[in-house]
Amino acid sequence: MFDRIARTYDPLNALISGFQEPRWRSRLVASCGLGLGMAALDVATGTGAVARDLARLVGPTGRVVGVDISPGMLEIARSRAATGTGTGALPVSSYVVGDAMALPVEDGAFDAATIAFGMRNLPDYERGFSEMTRAVRRGGVVACLEIARPASVVGRLGRIWFERVVPGIGRLAGQGDAYRYLVSSVRAYPEPAQIAEVMERAGLVDVAWTSMTFGMVTLHTGRSP
């Protein structure tokens, strides 16, 4: 499915998010506390937008690895890294086809690990967070950005947009099945407090979360002890 939607993924995401996605992504990247020469892992990297932003922070002496199960998504990510398009960031060190349930990286190899709008696609959230925790050094940051189910009145209006209008946009783009899946995956995703508990069971400490855009999106962070 993700191979099939790879070429329309970014423009449709921009539209669906009300063009808020770059702001959300910026908060995710900033939460990692990265600096020059550090190393970062981006899980479910997709077309590489987060990975390119991470590369800008760690600079030419740092390292960023993007992992995704979809070769089609990584084809787009590699082409954008090669041409320097997208964010104007430095090239990502490598993009690797891999399973978030068994990340193809060494233990403690990174200062931070991120996942943006990918955790809800995993079959086992705790295992996903455990793998990210394994990948970071002691004291390293694990950060997860995900669509949420808002409780506020304004947020619920946004939810109507997301659940009723977004599938129609997907149909117009010829990707109706994928965007119906998107809505169903968000409905199945746990509440922020439950995700925090999952992160703690995965071995993370100092777990916290922040809601953005009237609760439409939640950023969770934790630290490897």
Side-chain angles (χ1 to χ4, degrees):
M1 182 185 73
F2 284 100
D3 284 347
R4 192 172 66 247
I5 67 174
R7 297 195 179 279
T8 58
Y9 183 79
D10 286 336
L12 283 181
N13 270 8
L15 179 60
I16 288 167
S17 73
F19 303 96
Q20 295 298 301
E21 187 273 337
R23 184 171 70 87
W24 299 337
R25 179 173 11 113
S26 177
R27 291 282 297 275
L28 168 71
V29 171
S31 74
C32 295
L34 292 168
L36 293 175
M38 299 178 82
L41 171 69
D42 186 40
V43 181
T45 195
T47 59
V50 171
R52 290 190 297 274
D53 283 353
L54 293 168
R56 176 174 50 81
L57 287 182
V58 302
T61 59
R63 181 168 71 105
V64 175
V65 175
V67 175
D68 201 285
I69 203 166
S70 166
M73 286 286 193
L74 293 185
E75 181 182 351
I76 302 294
R78 291 189 185 104
S79 69
R80 291 182 179 175
T83 59
T85 59
T87 64
L90 295 161
V92 174
S93 304
S94 62
Y95 288 111
V96 180
V97 176
D99 187 349
M101 298 289 92
L103 289 170
V105 298
E106 295 180 358
D107 295 359
F110 300 93
D111 297 290
T114 60
I115 185 167
F117 308 118
M119 183 58 69
R120 70 178 187 281
N121 297 318
L122 304 189
D124 185 331
Y125 306 135
E126 185 174 342
R127 185 171 173 181
F129 280 118
S130 294
E131 277 293 282
M132 294 173 73
T133 304
R134 175 185 67 80
V136 300
R137 60 170 176 78
R138 290 184 178 181
V141 173
V142 171
C144 174
L145 179 67
E146 192 53 88
I147 301 170
R149 291 174 293 171
S152 69
V153 174
V154 175
R156 285 197 295 269
L157 291 175
R159 186 174 174 181
I160 291 171
W161 154 266
F162 186 78
E163 295 193 352
R164 298 185 183 180
V165 179
V166 165
I169 294 172
R171 285 195 300 273
L172 289 174
Q175 304 291 352
D177 289 347
Y179 286 88
R180 282 194 297 273
Y181 163 76
L182 171 64
V183 172
S184 65
S185 68
V186 172
R187 286 174 177 165
Y189 194 65
E191 299 288 346
Q194 293 175 291
I195 290 297
E197 291 173 1
V198 172
M199 293 175 72
E200 290 170 349
R201 290 200 302 271
L204 292 162
V205 298
D206 299 334
V207 175
W209 71 87
T210 303
S211 294
M212 293 179 280
T213 315
F214 305 106
M216 290 294 296
V217 172
T218 303
L219 171 62
H220 280 83
T221 57
R223 182 175 55 82
S224 175

